């Protein structure tokens, strides 16, 4: 047979094989996308079902909850009816503001001016009262910062309990609506690069734009769906997912899941997952690390699956190589930024630390509002008192420990993690060379692993 026919057959076979491989890859991607969509739909279905049951509980309960209607016929007996106008607004000094509201007077006035379009006056339907903006914000801040009971706030401010409840809800909703766009946004393209540079400088981890983790907020045991609210530590909670930058400022939060929900389910149900899966963490043009293109990264704990854009430590084992052990040390060092951020968040806004007796939907809004207020205090350098941290030591609700996820890791992600191992090994060699005499022999630099296009974020 002529050689030309053989070449034609080989080309045709190669084209058919290429077509078959492309078809298999396309079908596999479709299967994965269908699985993710089904999983996400199931999560949202569970959320809707839980909300439906909770609404039924609210409509059929016989005893009102303390955050809305409990003791609504109770007549408050304030010890000082003019406490707000005469004492706070006229006599409070800087330390008094920090003690009672955990913010400065300047921050309070800033909130008043920013929230005025939404809360110029709050009309309370149950009582027909109109509450001034400043008094409404003050009641909400004291509730968020010191976890003061509603009945005490009622007597302190001289208003019925339902008024306090509505003020707290109205202020939290206004903070989310008006201040979240100003103080908590997903980073733009140029901000991603700035975040990565800051994280590398402060925490030594390249290409990292943030750290992700979850915080369990203690809540009162609900009358229904108690099984969903139990977390692995054995107490009821609502979960807040947060992402912080190198300075401990939140740039993404997701709240409202019950304590039994694992970290990976929360992540896959958030806008952050959609953004990352659609290439939102890949810069244009792609940045390089050790000659290899690499997208931006998040750091997480064992509760998350390994992704090309989300790295976690190697599982503890005696078989870990020195390079893998170094990687784990560097990543655990980077995780400290969100541990510190959550600590300061709970210390300043103690409604997230003490057992919260508000409705579950309000607890979720309070958590997001507190993260926004945390950012505002960071931006404006509001003083932080270490004695607030001491209050966290009396902890009857310890956070659940990290549990390895059952979700499958992205097979392309291991190449990214190996590339970082090579990077940290090279950094160690450079330090050794810098500390050694000039006559010392030059140590070989390891070749970085190849990261193909599929391994990019």
């Amino acid at each position: 047979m002529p050689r030309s026919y053989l070449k034609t057959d080989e080309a045709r076979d190669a084209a058919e094989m290429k077509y078959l491989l492309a078809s298999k890859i396309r079908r596999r991607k479709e299967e994965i996308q269908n699985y993710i969509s089904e999983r996400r739909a199931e999560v949202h279905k569970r959320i809707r079902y839980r909300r439906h049951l909770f609404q039924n509980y609210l409509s059929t309960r016989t005893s009102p909850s303390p955050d809305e209607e409990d003791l609504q016929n109770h007549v408050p007996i304030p010890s000082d009816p003019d406490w707000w106008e005469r004492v706070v607004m006229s006599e409070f000094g800087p330390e008094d503001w920090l003690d009672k509201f955990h913010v400065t007077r300047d921050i309070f006035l800033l909130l008043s001016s920013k929230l005025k379009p939404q809360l110029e006056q709050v009309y309370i339907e149950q009582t027909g009262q109109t509450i001034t903006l400043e008094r409404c914000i003050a009641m909400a801040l004291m509730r968020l910062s010191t976890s003061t009971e509603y009945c005490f706030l009622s007597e302190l401010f001289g208003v019925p309990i339902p008024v306090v409840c509505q003020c707290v809800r109205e202020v939290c909703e206004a903070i989310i609506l008006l201040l979240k766009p100003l103080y908590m946004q997903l980073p733009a393209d140029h901000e991603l690069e700035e975040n990565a540079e800051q994280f590398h400088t402060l925490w030594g981890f390249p290409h990292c734009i943030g750290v992700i983790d979850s915080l369990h907020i203690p809540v009162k045991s609900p009358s229904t769906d108690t099984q969903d609210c139990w977390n692995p530590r054995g107490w009821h909670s609502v979960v807040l997912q947060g992402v912080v930058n190198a300075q401990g400022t939140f740039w993404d939060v997701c709240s409202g899941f019950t304590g039994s929900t694992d970290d990976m389910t929360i992540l896959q149900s958030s806008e952050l997952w959609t953004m990352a899966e659609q290439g939102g963490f890949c810069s244009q043009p792609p940045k390089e690390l050790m000659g290899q293109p690499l997208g931006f990264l998040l750091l997480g704990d064992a509760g998350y699956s390994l992704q090309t854009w989300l790295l976690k430590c190697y599982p503890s084992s005696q078989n870990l190589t020195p390079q893998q052990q170094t990687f784990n040390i560097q990543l655990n060092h980077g995780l400290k930024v969100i541990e510190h951020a959550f600590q300061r968040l709970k210390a300043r806004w103690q409604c997230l630390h003490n057992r919260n007796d508000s409705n579950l939907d309000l607890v979720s809004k309070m958590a997001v509002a507190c993260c926004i207020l945390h950012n505002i205090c960071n931006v404006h350098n509001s003083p932080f008192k270490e004695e607030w941290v001491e209050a966290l030591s009396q902890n009857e609700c310890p956070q659940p420990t990290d549990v390895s996820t059952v979700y499958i890791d992205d097979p392309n992600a291991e190449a990214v993690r190996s590339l970082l191992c090579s990077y940290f090994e090279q950094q160690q060699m450079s330090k050794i060379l810098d500390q050694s005499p000039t006559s010392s022999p030059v140590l070989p630099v390891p070749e970085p692993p190849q990261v193909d296009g599929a391994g990019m974020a």
Side-chain angles (χ1 to χ4, degrees):
M1 184 178 291
R3 186 180 301 273
S4 60
Y5 286 101
L6 290 175
K7 291 184 177 180
T8 303
D9 292 341
E10 291 175 357
R12 184 171 59 253
D13 292 342
E16 291 178 354
M17 181 62 67
K18 184 177 180 180
Y19 174 77
L20 290 175
L21 289 175
S23 299
K24 289 183 178 180
I25 293 174
R26 185 169 59 253
R27 285 197 300 270
R28 181 59 177 163
K29 287 183 177 180
E30 291 176 354
E31 292 174 359
I32 294 174
Q33 290 297 327
N34 290 337
Y35 171 78
I36 293 174
S37 299
E38 292 174 0
R39 176 70 177 173
R40 195 169 294 165
E42 180 64 25
V43 170
H44 287 298
K45 180 180 178 181
R46 289 172 57 190
I47 295 172
R48 289 194 300 270
Y49 178 65
R50 293 172 191 170
R51 287 176 177 172
H52 170 72
L53 292 179
F54 187 66
Q55 291 298 327
N56 285 347
Y57 157 69
L58 291 178
S59 61
T60 58
R61 64 187 178 179
T62 56
S63 58
S65 65
D67 68 314
E68 290 182 348
E69 299 173 359
D70 190 25
L71 302 177
Q72 63 179 349
N73 295 323
H74 165 72
V75 179
I77 307 176
S79 57
D80 187 349
D82 298 327
W83 179 78
W84 170 250
E85 287 81 2
R86 182 178 58 81
V87 179
V88 178
M89 297 303 291
S90 302
E91 301 177 5
F92 261 30
E95 288 297 318
D96 298 316
W97 279 94
L98 286 176
D99 288 339
K100 293 295 187 293
F101 304 104
H102 289 192
V103 296
T104 62
R105 181 187 177 96
D106 290 339
I107 295 292
F108 177 83
L109 296 177
L110 173 69
L111 293 174
S112 299
S113 63
K114 295 290 186 181
L115 300 181
K116 188 173 182 180
Q118 183 76 8
L119 294 174
E120 187 160 6
Q121 286 183 330
V122 179
Y123 179 75
I124 309 300
E125 296 180 358
Q126 297 98 322
T127 62
Q129 287 185 275
T130 300
I131 306 299
T132 61
L133 170 67
E134 291 77 10
R135 183 180 291 219
C136 184
I137 294 176
M139 285 188 282
L141 287 180
M142 187 171 288
R143 170 65 176 172
L144 296 177
S145 62
T146 62
S147 197
T148 304
E149 295 180 355
Y150 287 104
C151 58
F152 180 79
L153 291 174
S154 170
E155 296 188 354
L156 186 62
F157 285 87
V159 295
I161 289 179
V163 173
V164 181
C165 299
Q166 184 167 341
C167 283
V168 173
R169 180 179 292 273
E170 294 275 355
V171 170
C172 289
E173 292 175 349
I175 289 174
I176 296 172
L177 177 65
L178 299 179
L179 300 185
K180 186 177 180 182
L182 300 177
Y183 292 94
M184 184 189 295
Q185 289 182 321
L186 293 174
D189 292 342
H190 69 280
E191 293 172 326
L192 290 175
E193 187 170 350
E194 293 175 0
N195 283 3
E197 292 176 356
Q198 289 182 359
F199 207 96
H200 193 191
T201 301
L202 297 177
W203 299 93
F205 211 102
H207 283 243
C208 180
I209 57 174
V211 184
I212 184 171
D213 201 358
S214 60
L215 176 69
H216 286 255
I217 303 167
V219 295
K220 182 190 67 174
S221 174
S223 300
T224 59
D225 289 345
T226 55
Q227 186 174 0
D228 287 334
C229 288
W230 285 106
N231 62 35
R233 275 283 192 173
W235 44 275
H236 295 91
S237 63
V238 168
V239 188
L240 167 73
Q241 173 186 280
V243 183
V244 299
N245 62 16
Q247 298 174 337
T249 300
F250 291 92
W251 58 262
D252 184 73
V253 294
C254 179
S255 181
F257 292 85
T258 53
S260 63
T261 313
D262 60 84
D263 290 348
M264 197 61 194
T265 298
I266 298 175
L267 174 58
Q268 290 182 337
S269 304
S270 66
E271 295 181 2
L272 183 69
W273 176 270
T274 304
M275 173 186 175
E277 289 297 296
Q278 292 178 351
F281 293 161
C282 187
S283 62
Q284 296 298 333
K287 302 296 179 181
E288 291 188 353
L289 182 69
M290 298 182 66
Q292 300 293 327
L294 181 65
F296 295 117
L297 305 170
L298 294 180
L299 305 184
D301 57 33
Y304 299 97
S305 65
L306 188 66
Q307 304 292 321
T308 56
W309 49 271
L310 174 57
L311 299 185
K312 62 179 182 178
C313 289
Y314 288 95
S316 298
S317 171
Q318 295 180 349
N319 299 324
L320 290 181
T321 65
Q323 294 80 12
Q324 292 172 341
Q325 294 175 3
T326 300
F327 174 87
N328 284 359
I329 293 173
Q330 292 291 339
L331 192 142
N332 282 323
H333 178 64
L335 292 180
K336 292 185 181 298
V337 63
I338 197 166
E339 296 174 6
H340 185 61
F342 275 149
Q343 182 186 57
R344 292 175 68 91
L345 177 73
K346 293 187 298 180
R348 189 186 293 268
W349 309 108
Q350 295 180 8
C351 67
L352 306 181
H353 170 69
N354 300 319
R355 197 176 296 275
N356 200 317
D357 61 357
S358 300
N359 285 339
L360 298 186
D361 67 318
L362 179 55
V363 173
S364 176
K365 294 178 180 178
M366 293 168 74
V368 176
C370 287
C371 290
I372 299 169
L373 292 171
H374 169 91
N375 288 359
I376 293 174
C377 292
N378 283 359
V379 169
H380 296 282
N381 297 317
S382 181
F384 183 88
K385 304 183 75 170
E386 292 300 326
E387 64 188 54
W388 299 337
V389 179
E390 297 175 3
L392 302 183
S393 60
Q394 302 176 354
N395 188 6
E396 61 180 18
C397 299
Q399 289 291 309
T401 55
D402 299 333
V403 179
S404 297
T405 178
V406 297
Y407 293 83
I408 299 176
D409 294 337
D410 187 333
N412 297 315
E414 186 54 48
V416 178
R417 190 160 60 175
S418 298
L419 178 64
L420 269 298
C421 285
S422 299
Y423 170 79
F424 291 126
E425 183 182 17
Q426 185 187 65
Q427 296 298 304
Q428 282 191 334
M429 289 184 175
S430 299
K431 290 181 180 179
I432 294 175
L433 289 175
D434 292 340
Q435 296 173 0
S436 63
T438 55
S439 60
S440 297
V442 178
L443 296 177
V445 178
E447 290 292 332
Q450 296 295 318
V451 181
D452 58 15
M456 293 175 57

